[in-house]
Amino acid sequence: MDMDNIPATIAGPAGRLEIAFDAADVPARPVLAIVCHPLPTEGGSMHNKVVTMAARALRECGIAALRFNFRGVGASEGAFDDGRGELDDLRAVAAWARPRFPDHALWLAGFSFGAWVSLRGAAELGAKALISIAPPVGRSWEFEGIAPPQMPWLVIQGQADEIVDASAVRAWVSGLPQPPVLVEMPDTSHFFHRKLMDLRGALKNGIRDWLPPADPA
């Protein structure tokens, strides 16, 4: 696809959805990652610093990243739907991207609320890898009924998270039949204040063994 012609919005189930594309650094790999942002009602958007740092880390690994705003955020139309419509938004972005990147494997990533949404969509959308940053275990979002995805899966959690209980995340991960790789970052808050570069390193290190060969130059 001509990267210069990526639109600012695409059609979504509740109206237009605002997107942003981060082209992969060279050498590029045949992977497209869709990155989901934190809770819209608390100011979450695709411009959140954790989201943009995750996209940067992916890009530096040769992975193209597609960020988008859930319904009701930024230029995306519609209204917050407590995760139901937001999963539909993710489905719409994946449906738009697939024919435009036909030779790319789909990866999903999400931060906080976005981690919950992407986890719920991972198996259905046929994702080849999943990255969950500070998944909101123990809050308003139901995790117990979600079948764990059968794919490479990285969870990154700050040990000093003031919003998500790090011990609840640890207990949830350890109770799964096939636990993901859990990276716990000491002295790290929910929004990774002063730890964004550490997050970048943890993400890049965590996915290193999953990377397919780079596209031929």
Side-chain angles (χ1 to χ4, degrees):
M1 183 176 183
D2 184 352
M3 304 309 174
D4 293 330
N5 291 324
I6 299 288
T9 62
I10 63 172
R16 65 185 181 183
L17 289 171
E18 185 179 13
I19 66 172
F21 181 75
D22 301 290
D25 287 358
V26 177
R29 303 176 191 274
V31 177
L32 174 71
I34 300 176
V35 187
C36 298
H37 69 71
L39 191 60
T41 55
E42 298 295 333
S45 82
M46 67 179 181
H47 303 296
N48 170 272
K49 289 183 178 180
V50 174
V51 171
T52 57
M53 181 56 78
R56 173 183 169 181
L58 290 163
R59 187 189 74 232
E60 291 174 347
C61 290
I63 296 173
L66 187 61
R67 295 174 285 126
F68 72 100
N69 275 333
F70 288 125
R71 57 186 61 199
V73 178
S76 291
E77 296 177 327
F80 179 65
D81 194 32
D82 205 33
R84 295 176 294 270
E86 287 74 17
L87 179 54
D88 287 338
D89 295 341
L90 172 58
R91 291 179 176 124
V93 173
W96 176 88
R98 274 225 159 89
R100 292 165 174 83
F101 298 88
D103 299 324
H104 286 56
L106 176 68
W107 289 19
L108 295 181
F111 169 44
S112 197
F113 172 79
W116 180 64
V117 173
S118 54
L119 170 62
R120 289 160 59 222
E124 171 193 338
L125 295 174
K128 300 303 182 184
L130 177 65
I131 301 163
S132 303
I133 303 172
V137 178
R139 292 181 56 80
S140 301
W141 322 113
E142 179 58 52
F143 279 79
E144 296 305 318
I146 304 173
Q150 305 299 307
M151 64 191 68
W153 182 14
L154 173 67
V155 176
I156 301 176
Q157 177 62 48
Q159 291 182 335
D161 193 321
E162 72 282 14
I163 293 176
V164 173
D165 184 350
S167 63
V169 173
R170 189 183 310 115
W172 167 65
V173 165
S174 65
L176 294 173
Q178 293 182 326
V181 175
L182 174 62
V183 175
E184 295 189 84
M185 294 177 54
D187 303 316
T188 301
S189 69
H190 187 67
F191 293 100
F192 294 80
H193 295 308
R194 299 182 299 279
K195 297 286 186 174
L196 286 169
M197 296 304 290
D198 294 337
L199 170 64
R200 168 177 167 255
L203 197 158
K204 292 174 71 171
N205 184 65
I207 68 173
R208 181 175 293 130
D209 292 340
W210 309 343
L211 296 173
D215 290 328

